[in-house]
Amino acid sequence: QFRYEKSGELTGLMRVRSFCLADSHIICQKEQANGELNTVLDLIEYIAGILGYKPGENFRYRLSLGDRSDNKKYYKDDVAWDAAEDILRQVLIQRKANFYEALNEAAFYGPKIDIQMKNVAGKEDTAFTVQYDFVMPKRFHLTFIDKDGKEKEPIVIHRSSIGAIERTMAFLIEHYAGAFPVWISPVQAMVIPISDLHLEYARKVEAELKAMDIRVQVDDRNERMNQKVRDAQMDKIPYMLVIGDREMAEGKVAVRLRTGEQLPAMLLGEFKTFIE
């Protein structure tokens, strides 16, 4: 998607003019809204949990409401607004969610539930959102035949599962301060040969680990081993695999963590099992 943000509002990956949004639209009966909204929030909380976020600790919910007096910004239908806002409110209450209400933050076509996270500057930004839409079905003339054979108008639930990828990446960078969990680290292991004599074996280790689907690189710079280890720690790479005479003779790697902890030498198969 593209959004012409003002230059002063652009902020790193947090607010950009071009972004990729994981979006979906659920068309359902009004009576199904409660169940569908809960399913969507289950999905969002599941994904947030996978990324390492905890409700109440890392994020909270915002019930974003419309302003009945603002007919330019919001679609005029007080009854529909009241019903939609009440449905979203009841869902959050039933879930015992940590939420607050904010006037004038809704979309023009209906209220929404926003998942709010704080950035490093202390400002809250929306990470994921769920929107209740009672306007688009009217504009697109969406109808269905109910169980009594009567034609009725559905509602649309807009939902984002993982949010805008760029903003989600920004939240992850700040949340982990660059020290990502192994599974999302761009480089999971750095192979560090102590000298050029160990470079050939280091390349062999790299090839075998890549065959195991491990993201790995070799630091073949003409630098001291301690400097290579320090640089890898500064880059917050989870594992450093140091290779010297003993490791080459035994077919193993000496494992260091980015915390500085030294682990016993292990075979490559053991290392793969260790990091999974």
Side-chain angles (χ1 to χ4, degrees):
Q1 295 193 22
F2 300 90
R3 183 180 294 166
Y4 192 69
E5 303 282 12
K6 297 176 183 177
S7 60
E9 295 176 345
L10 296 174
T11 310
L13 289 172
M14 196 67 72
R15 189 173 290 276
V16 293
R17 286 176 174 165
S18 173
F19 56 94
C20 180
L21 181 66
D23 201 9
S24 179
H25 301 86
I26 301 167
I27 301 172
C28 64
Q29 301 175 39
K30 294 177 183 178
E31 296 76 15
Q32 296 173 312
N34 187 290
E36 292 296 331
L37 288 165
N38 271 293
T39 300
V40 167
L41 292 178
D42 286 343
L43 173 64
I44 288 174
E45 289 187 3
Y46 168 76
I47 291 175
I50 292 294
L51 296 176
Y53 301 126
K54 298 178 181 177
E57 182 177 329
N58 305 116
F59 68 89
R60 61 176 177 164
Y61 290 104
R62 181 180 74 187
L63 177 56
S64 297
L65 309 173
D67 183 351
R68 307 290 186 276
S69 63
D70 191 344
N71 294 333
K72 290 184 178 179
K73 183 175 180 180
Y74 299 112
Y75 185 82
K76 180 63 176 176
D77 188 335
D78 291 353
V79 173
W81 275 101
D82 289 341
E85 290 176 354
D86 188 59
I87 288 172
L88 297 187
R89 185 179 291 108
Q90 290 307 312
V91 166
L92 291 171
I93 292 173
Q94 290 165 12
R95 296 175 70 89
K96 296 181 171 59
N98 176 17
F99 78 97
Y100 68 102
E101 300 189 7
L103 186 65
N104 214 25
E105 291 289 348
F108 79 90
Y109 47 74
K112 57 194 176 105
I113 296 173
D114 292 315
I115 288 77
Q116 300 293 106
M117 293 188 187
K118 280 188 178 180
N119 60 30
V120 290
K123 178 182 178 295
E124 278 195 350
D125 284 299
T126 301
F128 317 108
T129 192
V130 184
Q131 301 171 331
Y132 187 108
D133 181 354
F134 51 79
V135 175
M136 291 305 164
K138 300 180 190 300
R139 294 189 171 180
F140 286 99
H141 307 292
L142 297 181
T143 59
F144 68 95
I145 304 301
D146 71 2
K147 60 184 178 182
D148 298 324
K150 296 179 180 179
E151 190 175 87
K152 287 189 177 180
E153 186 178 271
I155 56 106
V156 175
I157 296 172
H158 304 241
R159 74 108 176 99
S160 169
S161 56
I162 198 169
I165 302 302
E166 293 78 7
R167 180 172 289 188
T168 298
M169 288 174 60
F171 279 123
L172 284 171
I173 292 168
E174 293 185 352
H175 179 67
Y176 290 108
F180 300 112
V182 179
W183 68 276
I184 54 174
S185 292
V187 178
Q188 295 171 309
M190 180 67 74
V191 181
I192 301 176
I194 292 178
S195 73
D196 290 345
L197 297 174
H198 312 110
L199 188 54
E200 183 179 348
Y201 178 63
R203 294 293 184 197
K204 180 183 176 183
V205 168
E206 177 189 31
E208 291 189 27
L209 290 177
K210 282 185 176 179
M212 298 175 185
D213 292 326
I214 295 173
R215 296 186 293 277
V216 58
Q217 293 179 359
V218 175
D219 189 342
D220 57 3
R221 295 176 300 156
N222 186 24
E223 291 280 0
R224 293 178 298 108
M225 185 267 287
N226 287 341
Q227 182 63 47
K228 293 180 181 181
V229 169
R230 189 177 302 113
D231 289 344
Q233 286 179 313
M234 291 295 291
D235 289 340
K236 301 187 179 180
I237 295 171
Y239 299 103
M240 287 133 269
L241 309 180
V242 180
I243 293 172
D245 292 338
R246 179 182 297 178
E247 288 75 27
M248 196 163 64
E250 297 177 354
K252 295 182 177 181
V253 290
V255 182
R256 284 174 177 259
L257 306 184
R258 59 188 165 200
T259 59
E261 183 182 352
Q262 178 84 46
L263 301 180
M266 58 184 74
L267 298 169
L268 293 184
E270 294 175 317
F271 174 70
K272 183 177 187 299
T273 302
F274 174 75
I275 71 171
E276 286 180 342

